Amino acid sequence: MKILVAVSKAPDTTAKITFKDNNTAFNEDGVQWIVNPYDEWYALVRAIELKEAAPDTIIHLVSVDDSGADVILRKALALGGDEAIRVNIKPTDSFSVASQLAAVAREGAYDLILTGKETIDFNDGAVPGMLAELLDIPCIPVATKLTVENGKAVVVKEIEGGEQTEEVAFPVLISCAKGMAKQRMAGIRNVIAARSKTIKVVEPVAVDRLTEAVSFELPAAKTGVKMIEAGQEAELARLLHEEAKVF
Amino acid sequence: MSILIYIDHADGQIKKSALEAISYGAALAKNLNTTAEAIVLGKVNEDLAGLGAYGLSAVHQAADEAFDKADAQALAKTVAGVAGTLSAEVVIFAANANGIALAPRVAVRLKAGLVSSAVALPDTHTEAGFTVKKVVFSGKAFAHVKINTPVKVITLTGNSYPAQKAAGTATVSQLDLHPDLSKVTITGVQKVEGEVPLTEAEIVVSGGRGLKGPENWNLITDLAHVLHGAVACSRPVADDGWRPHHEHVGQTGIQIAPNLYIAIGISGAIQHLGGVNRSKTIVVINKDPEAPFFKAADYGIIGDAFEVVPRLTEAIKAIKG
Ligand SMILES: Cc1cc2nc3c(=O)[nH]c(=O)nc-3n(C[C@H](O)[C@H](O)[C@H](O)COP(=O)(O)OP(=O)(O)OC[C@H]3O[C@@H](n4cnc5c(N)ncnc54)[C@H](O)[C@@H]3O)c2cc1C
Ligand SMILES: Nc1ncnc2c1ncn2[C@@H]1O[C@H](COP(=O)(O)O)[C@@H](O)[C@H]1O
């Protein structure tokens, strides 16, 4: 089986979110970059687990980004995967990313494409569905379990108020969320081994820009917390009922 | 020209998030001087003409039961087809499990720009053109995203635009459409009975590691029950198996924006806050006065959850009568 895992670079989850140029751009100063958690913890690790169970599996990683993403790809390669591909263009909107990924996916004829549920910066959750549509293959988004049984993918995904099990033949695209795999760390040996793995750089295809973020804002700060003494829970209940009117 | 809203339903019932999407679409239609129409695929047990009360002028239904089991690829093809026939200018979905599956596919088919997780009506009169406010950085910020294409697709975040019911009826037409053969087969559905789905809940009661162990969760569930709310938890609580994964809220869990969020024994780490800070009212109960969560709260009690929460549950019960 041939697996493609799409990984993106994301700001560390503790990064202070600020904007610059009159709130038109994310201020990247001092931001630490990580592998987008959904891509690393769930998509990539599940791919590695599948390879451990079936060693002839081939795993390629792909990222659409400039050379700033190479460290992220190395980090991901240290966890596992045979080689990485970087499409040499700074990601803009979901459609352009999906279009670049589609070109890579067509080239490699993968059986299984794994992505994260969403990126933690733009939170679009749109690349998986777009990529699947561009490739004309099925997509199961926000999956929490994936096994391969009788040559088919058996997938559990979240639905409102529960979960659903689905079965699908390959090729298929699955976007991964919590539950999919157990988070792991790369050992020092793997970090060293990853240094000699290939990062193939490919040039982007031409794509129209369908959307663009024109400005950003931070949520309004809370005006101050009203503290209630322990023991005065009846007062809190009254405030919630009469002042906040939430029940 | 029109606004087309996809009506999501399960077990024959229209979801609350779909009603929000209809109200949102109807308000947008008004701003753009056009009509709001909806598409329903599959069987529903509700009065579709009655949806006119939410501002729809027409409902188009393809009632073939095969749609209820159809996969996103087949559904998207049908929705995009209908959007084309109606010359829909904007297509709107709820940003829920089905919306995430469908909207990107429909956008690709229509060559439309997509904004997911919108939290407000589009700004249609700015210099930039058509911009939509959406959540970014897991709730730590918002972006105004401009859509450059003639046809636009939007998914609406739950609980960010209220379903508004007035008077009116919609015309209902039946479409003779049938889905392509699905490549994905549903082999099982496991619903948690009697629970309010987290993404649709107006009130959420959430517990953290301060609860000490799963055996104490009745504190959380009892309070949730008197409030008819849903139950959530912090990430380590789900990681340790105290509670199921689907209850984990935060930056890497489910992001929610209920009217009331009660955080009990949760410290308020930045990754937790990201997923919940759009809640309209936040109550924090924590024994540590320095817990960062108090800074994001509207009401707070410093105290031992094991004493405070049962008293709060009783006090709310007393008010509810
Ligand atoms: C990449 C990344 C992503 C993450 N994503 C998420 C996420 O999506 N969601 C999330 O929740 N976390 C996430 N985390 C973890 C996060 O950083 C915190 O570790 C986590 O939120 C802490 O959970 P907690 O508040 O339940 O536990 P703790 O931090 O241990 O806090 C327990 C709290 O309970 C209080 N307490 C103890 N006993 C009592 C008592 N008897 N009565 C009242 N209060 C009491 C304590 O004072 C303390 O404030 C993420 C971390 C990383 C690195
Ligand atoms: N620049 C990128 N390069 C590679 N994969 C990406 C990129 N952006 C997004 N993805 C993949 O698509 C998923 C969903 O991203 P998004 O639609 O942006 O929320 C991510 O979890 C990644 O797996």
Side-chain angles (χ1 to χ4, degrees), chain A residues 6-8 36 39 62-64 91 97 101 115-116 118-119 124-128:
Chain A
V7 297
S8 80
N36 186 46
D39 310 354
V62 60
S63 194
V64 178
V97 170
L101 293 175
T115 71
E118 64 185 24
T119 45
D124 280 332
V127 167

Side-chain angles (χ1 to χ4, degrees), chain B residues 209 212 234-235 248-252 265 267 271-272 286 304-305:
Chain B
R209 259 203 307 230
K212 309 281 186 274
S234 66
R235 178 166 160 232
H248 153 202
V249 292
Q251 187 168 6
T252 51
S267 57
Q271 298 97 347
H272 185 87
N286 197 304
D304 185 345

Side-chain angles (χ1 to χ4, degrees), chain B residues 203-311:
Chain B
I203 297 184
V204 175
V205 182
S206 188
R209 259 203 307 230
L211 270 289
K212 309 281 186 274
E215 66 282 4
N216 299 323
W217 234 259
N218 60 315
L219 280 184
I220 305 291
T221 51
D222 287 353
L223 178 54
H225 283 150
V226 297
L227 288 165
H228 301 294
V231 171
C233 66
S234 66
R235 178 166 160 232
V237 164
D239 281 350
D240 292 347
W242 297 1
R243 298 297 296 176
H245 286 310
H246 67 254
E247 287 183 5
H248 153 202
V249 292
Q251 187 168 6
T252 51
I254 296 175
Q255 285 140 39
I256 53 171
N259 295 338
L260 175 61
Y261 183 72
I262 306 184
I264 301 166
I266 303 177
S267 57
I270 186 165
Q271 298 97 347
H272 185 87
L273 292 180
V276 303
N277 64 3
R278 285 183 305 110
S279 307
K280 283 163 201 100
T281 299
I282 296 180
V283 175
V284 169
I285 298 169
N286 197 304
K287 70 173 187 190
D288 174 10
E290 301 297 321
F293 220 144
F294 285 119
K295 290 204 184 73
D298 297 284
Y299 301 98
I301 292 186
I302 300 165
D304 185 345
F306 293 87
E307 294 166 13
V308 170
V309 178
R311 288 197 297 250

Side-chain angles (χ1 to χ4, degrees), chain B residues 41 52 73 127 201 217 303:
Chain B
L41 299 180
Q73 208 173 354
E127 229 173 276
W217 234 259

